[in-house]
Amino acid sequence: MQKQISNLDKLTLSNDFLFKHVMLRKRICKHILEELLHTEIADITYLEAEQTIDVYPDSHGIRLDVRIADTANTHYNLEMQVKNPVNRATGKFLLPKRTRYYQAMLDTDMLQKGQDYDELSPTYIIFFCLFDFFQDSQRIYTFKKRCLENMNIELADEAVIMFLNTLGTKGDVSPDIQSLFDYINSNTITSNFTREVADTIVEIKNDKKVRDAYMTYEMRMKDLRDEAHAEGKAEGLAEGKAEGLAEGKAKEKTATAKRLLSMGLSVEDIAKATSLSVEQVEAIKAE
């Protein structure tokens, strides 16, 4: 029990669990969006934190960190991304097509039967990345669809993808956003805003409901890991007789990872539970 409590105390803002709880503080989340987009937002509503969207029974579901709508009916999806996932089999990075899939699933979930396409809300999918995916040192990479023949022509579908590079050195961001990047990178407080974030994290970690939720989460993860490990081991050994022990062990880990993914556990926690790399779990998740 004590180990689980100390695990929570060690979490930083880059951890999914803590990131979600901090973003659930309306004042902080709203301020970040206003600073990023250089606009005033009257109010925000949480559609559901860590929402799973399965548009079709056989489709690949997605689990969102934080999904928000403002009073202008603009929708925001905020995600924390610690590692740069890659498909080891193909060597291709997964983030670009993941954003494509996220956008498609958000739109399909948003548009009800009988509604017109113009009723789709404007959307922002925002990834906080602790790495520079595009290796151009930009602090923010913002993507909208444009005509290749004339870049002044924008396809006004109101869908925006933003990659926030916390390591970036190019491009202007507000002082509060830069201080947030510094805080994510090194846990260093350099502004009143990051002081507020740090104080909020202390409050969250001292909240009995949050501590109980995290302890329950870790115990559930251990139970699921043990159960999935036992099932995966039997399955892996059976297949290993025909295909070799090494392949059987690999399939055992894959089966375990899939079961834990279906329960909504984070990629980082699954990697720890299965001894797979974060990149391998991301590849399994993208299948």
Side-chain angles (χ1 to χ4, degrees):
M1 189 72 68
Q2 183 60 40
K3 180 177 182 297
Q4 290 161 338
I5 292 175
S6 63
N7 284 344
L8 174 61
D9 292 333
K10 292 176 183 177
L11 296 187
T12 64
L13 188 57
S14 63
N15 176 271
D16 279 350
F17 183 90
L18 194 56
F19 174 75
K20 293 163 193 170
H21 279 80
V22 172
M23 290 302 106
L24 287 173
R25 299 298 178 99
K26 183 180 288 189
R27 172 179 152 72
I28 290 176
C29 187
K30 178 173 172 289
H31 183 66
I32 289 173
L33 292 175
E34 289 178 327
E35 294 290 292
L36 282 175
L37 305 177
H38 308 289
T39 187
E40 286 190 22
I41 297 174
D43 197 10
I44 58 175
T45 301
Y46 292 92
L47 302 179
E48 187 175 349
E50 200 182 62
Q51 180 185 22
T52 300
I53 298 179
D54 291 293
V55 178
Y56 302 109
D58 296 330
S59 66
H60 181 87
I62 59 174
R63 180 166 291 276
L64 307 179
D65 280 357
V66 183
R67 189 179 175 193
I68 303 158
D70 64 19
T71 48
N73 201 33
T74 299
H75 287 219
Y76 308 90
N77 169 219
L78 280 62
E79 301 284 331
M80 177 61 71
Q81 191 68 39
V82 176
K83 300 292 185 181
N84 187 9
V86 63
N87 186 328
R88 289 188 175 274
T90 64
K92 293 183 178 180
F93 292 102
L94 303 176
L95 270 183
K97 287 191 176 179
R98 183 196 291 183
T99 63
R100 171 180 164 183
Y101 191 69
Y102 275 28
Q103 186 65 62
M105 295 292 278
L106 283 171
D107 287 344
T108 305
D109 182 63
M110 193 184 307
L111 197 64
Q112 301 301 312
K113 186 176 180 179
Q115 287 185 306
D116 292 329
Y117 294 116
D118 64 359
E119 295 182 67
L120 282 172
S121 300
T123 59
Y124 285 84
I125 296 176
I126 303 172
F127 278 85
F128 289 76
C129 298
L130 277 70
F131 53 90
D132 187 356
F133 183 85
F134 301 98
Q135 299 183 359
D136 191 45
S137 299
Q138 299 293 335
R139 290 182 171 91
I140 300 178
Y141 299 93
T142 303
F143 291 88
K144 297 180 180 181
K145 297 183 180 69
R146 292 189 178 273
C147 175
L148 294 180
E149 289 73 21
N150 183 346
M151 295 298 286
N152 291 321
I153 300 175
E154 179 185 335
L155 182 64
D157 61 355
E158 298 184 307
V160 181
I161 308 292
M162 299 177 70
F163 294 89
L164 312 184
N165 171 24
T166 64
L167 303 176
T169 56
K170 295 180 182 177
D172 294 331
V173 294
S174 73
D176 278 354
I177 292 299
Q178 183 58 57
S179 69
L180 179 65
F181 287 176
D182 294 338
Y183 185 74
I184 292 173
N185 291 333
S186 62
N187 216 34
T188 303
I189 298 169
T190 57
S191 69
N192 290 334
F193 178 58
T194 47
R195 166 55 63 190
E196 179 182 358
V197 172
D199 290 345
T200 298
I201 288 174
V202 172
E203 291 177 14
I204 289 170
K205 289 181 177 181
N206 288 330
D207 187 318
K208 186 178 185 304
K209 289 183 179 179
V210 175
R211 298 184 79 86
D212 289 345
Y214 188 73
M215 289 164 59
T216 301
Y217 163 81
E218 284 210 326
M219 288 187 286
R220 183 182 68 174
M221 186 184 75
K222 182 180 184 303
D223 290 341
L224 290 171
R225 182 184 63 205
D226 292 343
E227 179 183 346
H229 179 74
E231 294 178 6
K233 184 176 182 180
E235 183 179 317
L237 289 174
E239 294 179 359
K241 292 178 181 179
E243 300 178 14
L245 184 59
E247 185 176 353
K249 287 183 177 180
K251 290 191 175 183
E252 170 194 337
K253 290 183 179 181
T254 299
T256 301
K258 286 181 178 180
R259 288 184 176 89
L260 297 179
L261 281 168
S262 71
M263 298 302 299
L265 303 184
S266 72
V267 169
E268 286 76 15
D269 286 333
I270 294 171
K272 292 178 183 177
T274 61
S275 297
L276 292 170
S277 68
V278 170
E279 291 79 9
Q280 287 173 316
V281 178
E282 288 281 7
I284 294 170
K285 182 178 180 180
E287 292 177 355

